[in-house]
Amino acid sequence: MTKPILSEPATLTGEEETLSAIVSRLASETRSLATAEVAVYKAKFGETAGAYKSAAMFFAVAGVLALAALIALLVGAILTLATVMGPGWSTAIVVVAVLALAGILAMIGKSKLQTKSEPVS
């Protein structure tokens, strides 16, 4: 005879346990098991969500710092060219170059989207 996992075995006092008592105990133990499983999954989800939240904050700060570095690089390029051809022309050249690079990257991204959406033949 095997022992039940969640509760003590029923003590028999001369007569066997009725079917309705067994079913009732089974339902009670099933509810307890389901509640325990939900609690375990909530705890696991809480740990995972906390780790992702922390990582997302670090990625956001890294992105802001990378953007600040890019802006500093562009300002440095403008100031370097300003000694040769003046501030207006150097600003125009750097802006046009950055917009051209942005356009090229956008076209590459668009072409990758189009190839993904076309059915494979």
Side-chain angles (χ1 to χ4, degrees):
M1 181 173 174
T2 61
K3 294 182 181 178
I5 295 173
L6 295 177
S7 69
E8 295 296 320
T11 57
L12 301 178
T13 58
E15 61 183 60
E16 293 198 16
E17 193 174 8
T18 64
L19 181 60
S20 62
I22 293 172
V23 171
S24 174
R25 192 176 75 217
L26 176 64
S28 172
E29 290 177 0
T30 303
R31 271 186 246 112
S32 299
L33 178 63
T35 302
E37 287 290 326
V38 167
V40 167
Y41 283 114
K42 279 183 182 179
K44 285 182 181 180
F45 177 74
E47 289 177 12
T48 304
Y52 282 125
K53 180 180 175 184
S54 176
M57 288 187 333
F58 280 105
F59 279 125
V61 170
V64 169
L65 291 176
L67 181 60
L70 178 63
I71 291 170
L73 177 69
L74 294 175
V75 169
I78 291 171
L79 293 175
T80 302
L81 286 174
T83 60
V84 177
M85 61 185 61
W89 284 108
S90 63
T91 301
I93 289 172
V94 169
V95 168
V96 167
V98 170
L99 287 176
L101 179 63
I104 291 169
L105 292 174
M107 291 171 118
I108 291 171
K110 181 181 176 187
S111 69
K112 290 197 180 286
L113 282 178
Q114 287 175 347
T115 57
K116 293 286 183 183
S117 63
E118 293 176 2
V120 178
S121 45

